[in-house]
Amino acid sequence: MKATWDIFCTVVDNYGDIGVTWRLARQLVAEHPCTVRLWVDDLRAFERLCPSIEVNAARQWQQGVEVCHWSAEWQTTAAADVVIAAFACQLPTAYMEAMAAREKTPLWLNLDYLSAEDWTAGCHGLPSVKHQHVQKYFFFPGFQAGTGGLLREAGLLAQRRLFQQNPLAQREFLQGLGVAPTAGARLISLFAYENAGLASWLDAMAADSKPTHLLVPEGRILPDVQRWLGVDELSVGAVQVRDALTVQVLPFVRQDDYDRLLWSCDFNAVRGEDSFVRAQWAGRPLLWHIYQQEDDVHLDKLEAFLTLYTEGLSASAKAALSGLWRAWNAGQDMAGHWLAVQENWPELTEHAEAWCLEQASRADLAATLVQFYLNWI
Amino acid sequence: MKTGKELKPGTVIRLENDPWLVQKAEFTKSGRNSAIMKTKLKNLLTGYKTEIVYSADDKLDDVILDRKEATLSFISGDTYTFMDTTDYTMYELNAEDIEAVLPFVEEGMTDVCEAIFFEERLVSVELPTTIVRQVDYTEGSARGDTSGKVMKPAKLKNGTELSVADFIEIGDMIEIDTREGGSYKGRAKN
């Protein structure tokens, strides 16, 4: 008999919350003996990632997952065998009562944020508060042994390799997005929060001897791109050329298509949590715009990841990549750092694939969650 | 009532009717703007120890404790004997009970500590917020920096390592803030 899982997601801002939980829900259903309900409080945000969502439906099935609208007025429902509160969201009180009322106590997990910091392994899997006799546990995704790992679907890397080895498939995919890559150009995707350092990076790419085709999915960075281009409007499909730089705006795409976009590009600028992990599975060099936190604690998280990620790189490549990431996250001038990254391009490209393989050698997040449940019962 | 964020070594909380002493509490900001407190707890009735992670805003029943002033009398192996400064009663604690302040506990220290009692039993000790300790070893100043912004490692008499200002020398007395694991505050005034 399949275990029932309830995943709760509140969309606080952006698409990271729903991006991660939707991916997890689909993977649990596809690869494990699980029946999954995904409770989401904002179906409109979900619709951006999954256009087939009926935004007014209280319940619906999407790719094997029962998607339920988590409305302010909670309707009584039986609790599942496994309950995941994603990113420390607060479960409805009535649902917690339903958890306590179950004959078989459910496993209650807080699926926390991704961080490369050492403390995550020390906190992963530890118990927390109880609601009556129902114990909550903290579950931390991560990059190191002792954490819950990263979301990675079975066969993802094989699919990615096949795609990257097939220029026709790549061309067809890009054509579907209206992209005809500039001949000989370096293809770069740009998904980021607002960033004061963008103009200097675009200046550097425009002045480069090698052409760059920059693909910008709709998002928060777009006004900065528009400002640099000096145009009043920048809608989906718009193509603007400034010297060696071609800028093209893409629509916000489904998760699967975003993967293919990352796989198609030579370099990916990503943000937050979900796209950050997906870019690592692309096996291509990346630039991470980390979510900004109070007291600049995000900078510690950035450094923790850089420490892990740059291990094994030459001093030159390490300095180049770290410099670029730090400048990007501080909104500083990117030009010199971008030049340094280009000087170390072959090594950084090789390293991105090696890092991907190293991470893929660990159990993925869905598998570790299922194993945690099996160990617990 | 205390929140997860307010837990600190020496706090006693009630979980399912049992009193649990917080022996260690590590505060960490996880993601977005949420935070957690990782705690090491000891059941004061059974001696059982466990680790629990709390969200910063979790609400917990705390136990009102008696507090008295005490000073360290002597150390014998893993046993630390403190003396009540008013009636001179001696109380023993083992190293684990004072794990959080242990790096700054050393033989001969004269700090007036807060001894924490649960049902007339000493369960923990808190150091003053600011203490003064002597630097036992540190490298010489590398850059001649006098601003206090450049830091270097230093060792106290009991082997505890911490970062101090570059201008601090062996034998200097330094002020240490004992909260959140302990950190260098400045050179002690004579």
Side-chain angles (χ1 to χ4, degrees):
Chain A
M1 183 157 166
K2 288 183 174 180
T4 57
W5 292 58
D6 272 337
I7 302 174
F8 285 83
C9 171
T10 52
V11 178
V12 178
D13 55 9
N14 308 313
Y15 302 97
D17 316 273
I18 185 59
V20 168
T21 50
W22 172 228
R23 216 181 271 289
L24 172 63
R26 284 192 297 161
Q27 192 183 349
L28 285 170
V29 165
E31 299 174 21
H32 299 279
C34 304
T35 302
V36 179
R37 285 190 299 201
L38 175 59
W39 297 88
V40 185
D41 66 345
D42 182 355
L43 292 176
R44 290 208 179 273
F46 195 177
E47 189 187 19
R48 297 294 304 275
L49 296 175
C50 177
S52 57
I53 282 287
E54 293 283 341
V55 292
N56 296 316
R59 283 166 192 264
Q60 60 193 296
W61 287 88
Q62 296 286 345
Q63 299 181 43
V65 176
E66 186 180 4
V67 176
C68 306
H69 182 222
W70 178 1
S71 66
E73 287 167 26
W74 182 257
Q75 303 293 313
T76 305
T77 188
D81 296 323
V82 185
V83 181
I84 294 179
F87 307 115
C89 71
Q90 184 63 43
L91 299 180
T93 308
Y95 185 85
M96 287 166 69
E97 294 300 324
M99 282 163 52
R102 270 179 62 113
E103 193 178 329
K104 194 173 133 198
T105 304
L107 173 61
W108 176 19
L109 297 167
N110 173 60
L111 177 60
D112 220 281
Y113 297 90
L114 173 64
S115 173
E117 293 164 296
D118 288 339
W119 61 262
T120 53
C123 292
H124 174 64
L126 288 185
S128 184
V129 291
K130 279 185 177 177
H131 177 72
Q132 298 184 34
H133 59 283
V134 185
Q135 177 87 64
K136 180 164 84 173
Y137 294 86
F138 269 79
F139 205 92
F140 284 90
F143 304 92
Q144 300 187 79
T147 66
L150 302 171
L151 277 175
R152 187 189 73 250
E153 299 83 354
L156 179 74
L157 297 197
Q159 277 180 50
R160 189 260 287 177
R161 274 189 213 104
L162 277 176
F163 184 82
Q164 287 178 336
Q165 287 162 3
N166 187 343
L168 182 64
Q170 291 176 51
R171 199 160 53 241
E172 281 176 0
F173 166 72
L174 290 171
Q175 275 170 357
L177 293 175
V179 177
T182 313
R186 180 183 290 131
L187 208 54
I188 295 178
S189 75
L190 171 63
F191 188 53
Y193 306 114
E194 299 80 357
N195 196 314
L198 178 71
S200 62
W201 191 22
L202 299 181
D203 283 342
M205 288 192 274
D208 201 345
S209 56
K210 185 177 173 69
T212 299
H213 195 136
L214 185 71
L215 304 173
V216 192
E218 284 179 296
R220 286 169 54 177
I221 192 73
L222 218 48
D224 288 339
V225 177
Q226 191 176 317
R227 202 169 302 118
W228 182 81
L229 288 166
V231 295
D232 294 332
E233 202 186 330
L234 208 52
S235 52
V236 170
V239 180
Q240 296 276 338
V241 180
R242 299 289 185 275
D243 301 319
L245 176 63
T246 301
V247 178
Q248 183 166 3
V249 182
L250 301 184
F252 196 95
V253 293
R254 294 182 307 127
Q255 286 182 325
D256 294 349
D257 283 342
Y258 185 65
D259 276 339
R260 286 187 196 91
L261 177 65
L262 296 170
W263 301 348
S264 302
C265 289
D266 302 299
F267 186 87
N268 295 299
V270 288
R271 73 180 203 196
E273 185 167 324
D274 190 47
S275 61
F276 172 50
V277 172
R278 303 315 283 188
Q280 290 169 61
W281 299 138
R284 298 275 162 87
L286 69 152
L287 171 62
W288 183 28
H289 199 185
I290 191 169
Y291 188 94
Q292 196 167 354
Q293 289 180 256
E294 282 173 7
D295 305 325
D296 283 345
V297 291
H298 60 287
L299 297 180
D300 294 336
K301 298 174 192 301
L302 182 77
E303 291 303 321
F305 182 77
L306 277 174
T307 301
L308 288 183
Y309 185 80
T310 59
E311 203 181 315
L313 280 174
S314 68
S316 162
K318 184 175 181 171
L321 189 84
S322 302
L324 187 78
W325 283 38
R326 288 177 188 139
W328 188 234
N329 282 283
Q332 292 171 350
D333 195 310
M334 297 278 285
H337 301 293
W338 180 237
L339 193 66
V341 161
Q342 289 183 79
E343 284 164 1
N344 291 277
W345 197 268
E347 184 183 346
L348 289 171
T349 303
E350 200 176 308
H351 183 75
E353 179 67 20
W355 170 263
C356 170
L357 295 179
E358 185 193 327
Q359 288 302 315
S361 69
R362 304 182 199 287
D364 68 82
L365 182 64
T368 56
L369 279 164
V370 170
Q371 192 58 52
F372 191 85
Y373 171 61
L374 294 175
N375 293 345
W376 177 81
I377 50 175
Chain B
M1 193 70 88
K2 283 216 181 307
T3 62
K5 191 180 179 177
E6 291 168 333
L7 295 179
K8 59 179 186 176
T11 305
V12 174
I13 54 174
R14 200 171 285 283
L15 301 173
E16 295 172 67
N17 294 324
D18 278 6
W20 291 79
L21 170 70
V22 178
Q23 291 187 311
K24 208 172 172 185
E26 294 170 350
F27 181 73
T28 311
K29 292 203 170 166
S30 52
R32 201 169 276 135
N33 291 316
S34 74
I36 58 165
M37 185 71 85
K38 181 186 178 188
T39 62
K40 193 171 171 187
L41 303 176
K42 179 184 175 184
N43 186 314
L44 291 175
L45 301 180
T46 65
Y48 179 76
K49 288 168 190 157
T50 190
E51 289 184 315
I52 296 187
V53 177
Y54 292 105
S55 295
D57 52 2
D58 280 341
K59 290 182 175 57
L60 301 150
D61 279 336
D62 62 325
V63 176
I64 305 301
L65 302 161
D66 291 327
R67 289 170 179 266
K68 291 179 186 175
E69 288 188 348
T71 54
L72 177 71
S73 197
F74 59 91
I75 303 171
S76 175
D78 268 357
T79 305
Y80 293 72
T81 302
F82 287 85
M83 184 180 71
D84 184 326
T85 56
T86 48
D87 63 11
Y88 310 112
T89 308
M90 298 288 203
Y91 297 98
E92 285 185 353
L93 285 175
N94 63 39
E96 264 202 330
D97 293 326
I98 53 171
E99 189 182 339
V101 296
L102 207 52
F104 303 109
V105 173
E106 59 185 32
E107 196 77 74
M109 71 181 213
T110 55
D111 307 287
V112 178
C113 309
E114 278 218 322
I116 300 164
F117 292 83
F118 173 72
E119 293 178 350
E120 297 180 5
R121 182 157 60 99
L122 179 63
V123 292
S124 187
V125 160
E126 282 179 10
L127 290 176
T129 305
T130 302
I131 57 170
V132 175
R133 293 290 181 268
Q134 189 169 32
V135 172
D136 194 50
Y137 181 77
T138 188
E139 297 285 341
S141 172
R143 308 180 201 179
D145 179 83
T146 55
S147 68
K149 287 178 183 164
V150 177
M151 306 295 274
K152 64 176 181 180
K155 213 176 248 189
L156 304 181
K157 225 163 46 172
N158 64 354
T160 295
E161 289 187 25
L162 76 169
S163 290
V164 299
D166 191 51
F167 55 74
I168 294 293
E169 295 171 3
I170 293 173
D172 280 356
M173 303 301 284
I174 58 167
E175 289 189 341
I176 296 168
D177 186 330
T178 58
R179 292 170 297 184
E180 295 176 18
S183 56
Y184 168 80
K185 208 171 157 185
R187 180 146 53 191
K189 294 167 189 73
N190 292 326

